[in-house]
Amino acid sequence: MDITSFIANMPKAELHLHIEGTLEPDMMMSLAERNNVSLPYSTIDEVRAAYNFASLQDFLDLYYQGMNVLQTAFDFYDLTNAYLTRCFAQNVTHVEIFFDPQGHTSRGLAFETALDGITSALDEAERSLGITSKLIMCFLRHLPEDAAFETLESALPHKDRIFGVGLDSSEKDHPPPKFMRVFKAAREAGFIAVAHAGEEGSAANVADAVDLLEISRIDHGNAVLDDVVLTDRISAAQIPLTMCPLSNLRLCVVDDLANHPVRLALQAGLLATINSDDPAYFGGYISENFHAVQLALNLSFEEICQLGRNAYLGSFMNDEQKAAALALFDAFAADNTP
Ligand code: ADE
Ligand code: ZN
């Protein structure tokens, strides 16, 4: 099997995916019509033409605007269901996905509207497609910590359906110390913690997210490689990094995929993984991310296998589930590598 078919067919886990970032232009237009929401675009081509980002903030402005079309639990169900259908087609067997409750409660939706729609699609996908999942709610870091506390309060009755808390939105000007108290409260309530760090921000942000927010996984983490001491520390602790190549390219975090740090991350012993972040905005789901970075860096079968295994190792599956998933992955690799 050639490496392109290998990537397409290998079992995969996705650990960094914002469900609101899977809102494809055609679904945006049809939900706008269904819910009578006006959009500043009249055609799908106009939507796509607007997706030309110079920075994370440029993207976030359109991402929050796009969310306005999501109004009912049924909309969130349709959105999640469409993503999981694509997962099945790409042989993604496990997903750990983010949602941004504050992006919806700030528009007057109940916390449960998004939660109910997303989790009903996740439950159904486990039953009908065999795709397992965890749900992580992110705090929007451009909002005050008090607002994150309110969101945490809303989540407490739903701990059975929300596995962890994350931190996303504008990294510049909103470093980890701002959220120390709410992360501590969330961890004490039993949520695992992750955070976006070192995407547009520095290695110091990653160190603070690890030390002050006590996160179990780093989202992006590109900047880790800028600091040798931190790299050794994160590598020794095997704290996973959820890297997103096409996102980094489209948000100008890297100027060229040939300069993406994922190979350096593997060489440094970091538990790096490949993910799609906001695939509807960045031009590709998980397989396209693998294909693009493999091509740009000429990654070998061995490196692709390592990235594929790392996703299961870095997941929040229990040990038994991890062992079973890794056994399936290894059997696939043994049968299909040269
Ligand atoms: N929200 C959705 N995608 C994001 C990203 N890549 N960085 C920060 N916040 C986000
Ligand atoms: Zn992200």
Side-chain angles (χ1 to χ4, degrees):
M1 194 180 273
D2 66 24
I3 199 149
T4 304
S5 311
F6 184 85
I7 288 171
N9 291 300
M10 76 179 185
K12 291 180 266 296
E14 171 137 82
L15 308 180
H16 184 155
L17 180 284
H18 303 262
I19 197 64
E20 297 90 344
T22 67
L23 182 60
E24 290 286 345
D26 57 342
M27 186 178 279
M28 189 189 291
M29 305 290 280
S30 64
L31 289 181
E33 202 175 315
R34 177 153 110 188
N35 294 324
N36 240 323
V37 174
S38 68
L39 284 174
Y41 322 102
S42 39
T43 64
I44 289 175
D45 286 345
E46 275 181 39
V47 185
R48 289 208 193 281
Y51 292 175
N52 196 1
F53 313 113
S55 66
L56 172 58
Q57 192 58 52
D58 249 16
F59 153 70
L60 289 170
D61 293 343
L62 289 198
Y63 169 79
Y64 295 125
Q65 176 186 281
M67 282 184 199
N68 288 331
V69 303
L70 297 162
Q71 294 285 337
T72 67
F74 193 52
D75 300 337
F76 285 93
Y77 170 86
D78 281 349
L79 178 73
T80 310
N81 200 34
Y83 166 64
L84 293 163
T85 303
R86 287 177 186 268
C87 284
F88 188 69
Q90 297 199 343
N91 207 14
V92 178
T93 67
H94 179 75
V95 297
E96 300 187 354
I97 70 175
F98 300 125
F99 79 120
D100 283 327
Q102 291 161 294
H104 314 304
T105 53
S106 65
R107 302 183 281 116
L109 271 59
F111 182 89
E112 286 74 16
T113 300
L115 181 66
D116 290 349
I118 295 167
T119 55
S120 59
L122 291 176
D123 290 348
E124 192 176 300
E126 179 156 6
R127 286 193 303 271
S128 63
L129 306 175
I131 299 174
T132 53
S133 59
K134 306 259 185 242
L135 183 60
I136 299 171
M137 68 165 194
C138 286
F139 301 123
L140 297 182
R141 67 202 307 163
H142 66 275
L143 298 177
E145 191 184 36
D146 281 354
F149 265 111
E150 273 173 38
T151 306
L152 178 60
E153 198 67 33
S154 303
L156 291 177
H158 307 295
K159 273 175 55 191
D160 55 330
R161 291 190 285 166
I162 301 175
F163 191 76
V165 299
L167 187 64
D168 66 356
S169 192
S170 329
E171 189 177 359
K172 277 186 185 153
D173 302 326
H174 303 285
K178 176 176 169 187
F179 293 94
M180 265 171 74
R181 284 155 299 254
V182 73
F183 266 67
K184 181 167 190 286
R187 282 185 282 99
E188 285 173 359
F191 295 103
I192 62 92
V194 300
H196 284 55
E199 179 186 18
E200 274 194 345
S202 65
N205 267 5
V206 181
D208 280 351
V210 171
D211 293 333
L212 306 179
L213 306 184
E214 299 187 31
I215 56 171
S216 305
R217 198 159 73 199
I218 300 158
D219 294 314
H220 294 292
N222 298 44
V224 170
L225 277 303
D226 297 342
D227 180 329
V228 182
V229 175
L230 182 67
T231 299
D232 284 350
R233 224 188 115 197
I234 304 289
S235 167
Q238 288 288 280
I239 301 174
L241 260 55
T242 63
M243 297 187 131
C244 306
L246 289 174
S247 164
N248 294 157
L249 183 66
R250 297 294 295 275
L251 300 185
C252 307
V253 169
V254 296
D255 59 353
D256 191 309
L257 273 189
N259 297 323
H260 195 275
V262 65
R263 169 177 277 139
L264 292 176
L266 291 179
Q267 288 171 346
L270 293 164
L271 201 77
T273 64
I274 296 292
N275 308 272
S276 67
D277 206 5
D278 302 284
Y281 291 87
F282 302 146
Y285 288 76
I286 190 168
S287 287
E288 289 78 22
N289 273 271
F290 266 105
H291 290 311
V293 82
Q294 189 281 322
L295 196 65
L297 297 172
N298 195 23
L299 295 176
S300 65
F301 272 99
E302 201 184 342
E303 287 167 317
I304 293 294
C305 285
Q306 207 173 346
L307 290 165
R309 292 188 101 253
N310 284 353
Y312 290 108
L313 283 169
S315 76
F316 295 124
M317 289 173 161
N318 67 32
D319 289 347
E320 205 176 313
Q321 290 168 319
K322 254 184 214 184
L326 285 167
L328 286 177
F329 185 93
D330 290 343
F332 175 85
D335 285 350
N336 295 291
T337 44

